[in-house]
Amino acid sequence: MKFAGKVPESVAAVAKAPLETIAELRRIWIANRDFNHAMSHLAAYGLTHHQVTTLVGKFGSQVVAILERDPYVLVREIPGFGFKRVDKIARKMGTPKDLPSRIRAGIQYCVLGALDDGDCWVEYEDLLDRANALLVMDTLDSREVIERHLEALIAEGVLVAQSLERLIVADPEIHRMEMELAAIFRESRRPGPHAVTDLDSLLDAEGPLLNPEQREAVKNSLTCSISLMTGGAGSGKTYAVSTIVSIAERLERKVVLAAPTGKAAKRLEEVVGHEASTIHRLLGFNGHSYARDAMNPIETDILVVDEVSMVDVALAWRLFQAVDLSKTAVVLVGDHNQLPPVGPGNLLRDLVKSRVVPTTILTRIIRQAGVLKENSTAILSGVVRPTADAHNGTRRPWYVIDRFSDREDVRRMLLLLFEEVLAERLGYDLVRDVQVLTPTHKGPLGTVELNIALQRLLQKKLHGFDAPEVPPGHRPALYAGDKVIQTRNDYELGVMNGAVGYVVEATAKGALTVDFDGAVVEIEPGSDAASRLQLAFACSVHKVQGSEFPCAIVITHKSHSFMHHRNLLYTAVTRAKESVILLGDRWGIENCAAKRQVDRRNTFLSFLLEPEARA
């Protein structure tokens, strides 16, 4: 190789370098060459720098050729890179519809779609229908072709099939987790690891106000290896848990409290007066691995897990892997009337239905519960009570504003509440005390449009700032004073999915300083961390499970009737600590409470534990 003119100093330095250094530089040069080559050829897929680096690291210089032959490699290798996104690009590039990898990726996409819907399995015939509709192969024998590939995936162990009244197909990991959980729960009736003598005297001393149901729940927690206590708002779960903690402390037993989210853990800690943590933190999760497992279990005598309705199969399995039932009694606490978890499974309801675990259902509303909890619980009977009478000031615990049949009128009324009522007449902090809840993200009454409208109103009202209009389809910019919510776990920043924060500072370039409950984080403009933040003046009901707010405004309108059912409404109103404002139209509110639609999910536990219910 000849150089024209003076040899560059860097080249001269390389020539004098040791051979191993030259080899390392050559490796870096080849990696960079492969990376740049890949970036130029893979621009059509919209891959990020990190994603291309991952692919080049695995496939090297062959990455472009591999993706040209089989673009569906992206679905397997890049987390979150969905089938539909790849298929749209691949089809434009001329990839044939009957490409085997396309068919297999489509089948797996349908199984993953069931998991996203909360199901742990899908019926065999239904899976064929879903895949056939997805792949649109335009041949008369397309269903038969898909079935051959499905059978191959099952034979290879990529998917698992089992006959449970009918033939069903599932992801093997989820199948294994539910099978192992079922085996654990069947052993739950054995005596607990710590014998308690003179239990009745302890209950009289530490829980004198326990009603018979609460008393039974506390007894189970102290005598069984696993027990379950469930009940609605105002049924006394908190007092029962407090009694378990006080008895454990009196007996010098170690007790650990945990909940699925940071908000739920903090609330549990406040009401019980004992330290609590998230389940992930308890398990020592660092974003990649868990410190606690069967070889290094959680060290405690009693483990109380609250808000179990939010716990999906994967998290439940991971938790019980880290529990030694010969040393630790587990107490599961929740409300089976609330929505099921966002992830796959229906753990709490499957356990309540089967009664395989010693179970106490608290049905009595304690006298001190108050109007808010009484009215919330009435929804479970299909009853929406009218606006409550005023006591001790102007705030009422329960408001029903149900005269707006037009969506725009509902929206205008919501903005009027923020403009003239909530702070001025009810004394609420508009950003920190009030939470708007709605079933959907889209439309005039969805989270996206409501957040933009509320941001503009509150920025003007509280800070005198005219926020610019947001073009359709664009994300709104964030400004100092905005309320935001984290949409994915960020282990580098230590901010978990669902955490609500407040923007302290926003620079012109888009850098943010956000306060998450006292933990202040700095976020660079255009970073992945910035993309995980959304406005949170309005949130979906699912997103705020485990959280409570002084005032909850629940949008309930007939335009959302396809999503309405009483468990959704019940979950929404029980997010309020002081006041609920039901806002919408009369038919929409009453229909939502009247519609009984328990979320029936396809789970293995519903089959595996069912014999216990018939025993």
Side-chain angles (χ1 to χ4, degrees), residues 383-425:
V383 177
V384 179
R385 292 179 176 169
T387 297
D389 295 332
H391 294 289
N392 301 324
T394 57
R395 282 186 193 171
R396 305 183 188 207
W398 190 265
Y399 298 86
V400 178
I401 306 173
D402 60 2
R403 60 182 182 274
F404 302 111
S405 59
D406 187 88
R407 291 183 299 180
E408 292 300 329
D409 289 337
V410 175
R411 184 187 176 99
R412 280 190 284 270
M413 183 62 197
L414 175 67
L415 297 179
L416 181 65
L417 288 173
F418 275 86
E419 188 68 65
E420 300 180 5
V421 177
L422 295 167
E424 289 78 1
R425 295 173 57 185

Side-chain angles (χ1 to χ4, degrees), residues 69-72 95-104 149:
R69 287 196 307 271
D70 181 10
Y72 300 92
T95 303
K97 286 186 174 182
D98 60 354
L99 184 73
S101 62
R102 177 177 184 265
I103 297 172
R104 292 165 69 99
H149 284 284

